[in-house]
Each structure stands twice: as structure tokens, then as C-alpha cells.
Amino acid sequence: GATDPAAATSATATSAPADPVAAARDLTRRRDAAIEDMDEGALNEVTVEGSSAREQDLTFLHRLLDAGVRLDGLATEVVEAVEISGPSYSESASARVLLTSRIGAHRELGPGGQVLRELPASAASPVVLDLTWTQSRWRVSAVEPAHP
């Protein structure tokens, strides 16, 4: 079901760590929007500085920019999100969320807005999001394949 984005944002802006599962859903939505908008600053807001997650996202975004391609209609449907560990509160809070999602059908657009490719929806696939509580919100530090 749909969630109120304002409520999700205010929940992640509190001083104590919010629900990591809700954060994982929100971070996934915000990542899609940042990629579709080609917004490196917004993309950096969802990942931890210096993390493998940020490196992977920036590499992907720069590949799109270098090719003069942008994505239109990018939307990841979160099928299921389950906390598998955490939150732990050592030096920095962390949590791991098993996220099963599928990427909806979307298009690759060229520099003039012409449709280069229609991409079909993907099959649902699971990943593990490593979340770190930093700068008063959850951010993704790593994305790993989920092993059954």
C-alpha cells in the first residue's frame, strides 16, 4: 500500500534510530527518484560516505551520464522487507534488512528524450541492505546478494 512520504521523512529525521524496515523501503524509493532525476546529491543522501553502496550507485549514475542516457518511469516495488539483524548500537547503529523487490518496466531515454529502449519489469529478487545510522537517519552502506 501507499505510505505518506512526509510521515516517512519525519520518521527518519528523529534523533533515535527509526524502524530500519520502513527506512529500507523509503531509501529504495528515494534512490529511484535520485537516479531518474540524475541527482548525484540526492543519491548521496541515501548512502554512507565512502561505502560500497555509494561507490556502486555513483558508478551507475556516471555510466548513464557518460552515455547521455536517463531512465524514465523507474520504480522499484518492494515485495517484502524483513529485518534480519539489528539494530545494534555499538559506535554507530546498524541493521540488516532482507529486501525482496522487482524493478518495474521503464524506459531508457536519449539526450533528446527519444526512447532508446523499453525495459521490461524484472523478476523479484532478494538483497541484503546493510544500513548505518548516520547524520540522524538510516543510510545504505552495502547491498549484498541474499543467499537462501
Side-chain angles (χ1 to χ4, degrees):
T3 59
D4 176 8
T9 302
S10 64
T12 57
T14 59
S15 57
D19 174 19
V21 172
R25 290 176 179 274
D26 182 55
L27 290 164
T28 300
R29 180 191 56 74
R30 290 174 48 207
R31 178 183 182 270
D32 286 349
I35 290 171
E36 190 165 347
D37 293 344
M38 306 295 278
D39 185 340
E40 189 171 321
L43 196 56
N44 286 342
E45 286 295 309
V46 301
T47 54
V48 174
E49 185 172 348
S51 69
S52 61
R54 178 163 302 175
E55 186 63 34
Q56 289 165 352
D57 279 353
L58 291 178
T59 298
F60 178 66
L61 187 66
H62 291 155
R63 206 167 49 231
L64 291 174
L65 287 165
D66 291 347
V69 171
R70 67 182 188 85
L71 303 181
D72 179 54
L74 180 65
T76 302
E77 175 196 354
V78 176
V79 177
E80 183 179 27
V82 179
E83 191 172 337
I84 53 176
S85 72
S88 70
Y89 301 101
S90 49
E91 304 87 56
S92 64
S94 63
R96 292 170 55 87
V97 175
L98 175 63
L99 187 89
T100 303
S101 64
R102 70 174 63 89
I103 299 171
H106 58 284
R107 306 180 303 172
E108 285 184 356
L109 303 180
Q114 73 277 22
V115 177
L116 301 177
R117 274 198 316 171
E118 297 274 350
L119 299 163
S122 70
S125 62
V127 294
V128 175
L129 297 183
D130 288 337
L131 303 180
T132 302
W133 184 260
T134 179
Q135 297 175 321
S136 301
R137 67 174 55 123
W138 287 113
R139 294 174 193 253
V140 180
S141 54
V143 180
E144 304 158 6
H147 301 289

